[in-house]
Amino acid sequence: MRLRRRIWAAAVLAALLCAGPAAGASNPFLPGNAPAPRVVRNLSGVSVLAHWQRALQSRMTALMDISTPAAVGTLTLVAGIYGVVHALGPGHQKTLLAGLVLSQGATLGQAATAAFLTAALHAGSSIVLIGGTALALERASLTAFERGRELIQRGAALALVALALGMLVRRVREAAHRRRHRLEAGHDASTCPVCSRMERAREKGASPWGAVVAGGIVPCPGAALLLLLGISAGHLGLGVLAVLALSLGMGVTLFAVEMGAMGVRRGLIPLGKGDPRRGDRIRTVLEVGGSLLVLAFAVLLAF
């Protein structure tokens, strides 16, 4: 039963992450459904998600024109569902969060905080960018938003590359040191200053929040679209409300991805009990592999 759960956790995680590298898939939020600079074709799953998003978008547009209490409640619910579906598509920091959890581990509270903070930054930065472009141009423009988003994405990606490289170098050094001592006869980790320093650093925990903020601050086109829908309908407040509900929905999906990564990590670590060599290899694969996932996400975000 436990093995089956581990397999399911790995399969769910892989399915949720498969769209992550396809960050350049056709963008359903640009006029005429124009392709983004990085095009990934023949992704049937992404096409289905885009179809669902357009259907939900049409429903929200109609609800914004009504603006009765019942319509506002329905709009909030639909926007939340839209956020769940939207975050299943390409991007949205799923690979980043999964890599952090695999590499460093996380408690349930830490995973929830990272997921909903990422979603809040992802949507909130869109409100700030749309507001800034509206003040500068005296009108809200999706084209101006996309240009500003590209600049923010490049800056955030460079910061994230630096953080990911630091994480990867640290994990590789730790793995190399553990291996060297494992090959030495009579090694006592309690008297080794390097092992002691590594253990203190591990107990303190390398903070993932810099990477979470750098990844989450990239504005979300879906949030910008909802805000623009509200502005065009003459109901800015409804647009902001829809963005908040969208953020909660995205947080749910991101948290599910983290739970999948936690399941994989917790399923693999016990396999090394009773065999120090195998346990060390599993630990190395998780920590170095998770760091590589974060670095891959950062590089894709940059280019």
Side-chain angles (χ1 to χ4, degrees), residues 56-299:
L56 291 168
Q57 172 194 334
S58 299
R59 180 61 176 162
M60 285 185 287
T61 302
L63 289 168
M64 285 183 181
D65 290 332
I66 300 173
S67 69
T68 63
V72 171
T74 305
L75 171 66
T76 304
L77 177 61
V78 174
I81 297 172
Y82 177 75
V84 172
V85 175
H86 182 59
L88 287 172
H92 306 292
Q93 290 66 45
K94 295 187 293 296
T95 304
L96 168 65
L97 295 179
L100 288 172
V101 171
L102 288 174
S103 178
Q104 300 181 192
T107 65
L108 201 62
Q110 289 172 336
T113 301
F116 288 99
L117 175 61
T118 298
L121 289 171
H122 197 39
S125 59
S126 301
I127 296 177
V128 173
L129 186 54
I130 286 289
T133 56
L135 288 174
L137 303 176
E138 298 184 352
R139 65 184 179 86
S141 168
L142 189 57
T143 302
F145 167 83
E146 281 293 323
R147 291 174 181 171
R149 179 179 177 273
E150 288 181 4
L151 292 176
I152 294 173
Q153 178 173 311
R154 289 292 174 86
L158 291 176
L160 195 54
V161 166
L163 290 170
L165 282 174
M167 181 191 306
L168 179 61
V169 169
R170 184 168 59 252
R171 295 306 188 196
V172 169
R173 284 179 175 175
E174 290 176 356
H177 185 77
R178 289 196 306 268
R179 183 177 184 277
R180 184 168 63 251
H181 279 319
R182 192 178 70 243
L183 298 176
E184 293 178 0
H187 170 252
D188 186 359
S190 63
T191 61
C192 174
V194 178
C195 289
S196 299
R197 186 168 62 249
M198 286 168 48
E199 188 60 30
R200 287 195 301 270
R202 184 169 298 280
E203 290 176 356
K204 183 179 179 181
S207 174
W209 303 114
V212 169
V213 171
I217 203 171
V218 178
C220 173
L225 176 68
L226 294 187
L227 192 60
L228 290 173
L229 287 175
I231 293 173
S232 64
H235 298 291
L236 176 60
L238 290 181
V240 173
L241 177 64
V243 170
L244 293 176
L246 169 84
S247 175
L248 287 175
M250 288 194 296
V252 170
T253 298
L254 295 178
F255 183 58
V257 170
E258 288 180 303
M259 290 297 291
M262 291 170 67
V264 171
R265 183 180 174 89
R266 291 176 179 176
L268 290 177
I269 287 179
L271 298 179
K273 288 184 178 180
D275 187 341
R277 177 175 296 183
R278 183 170 62 179
D280 184 56
R281 287 175 178 172
I282 291 173
R283 180 177 172 182
T284 299
V285 167
L286 286 172
E287 294 181 352
V288 175
S291 299
L292 285 172
L293 268 180
V294 175
L295 181 59
F297 170 83
V299 172

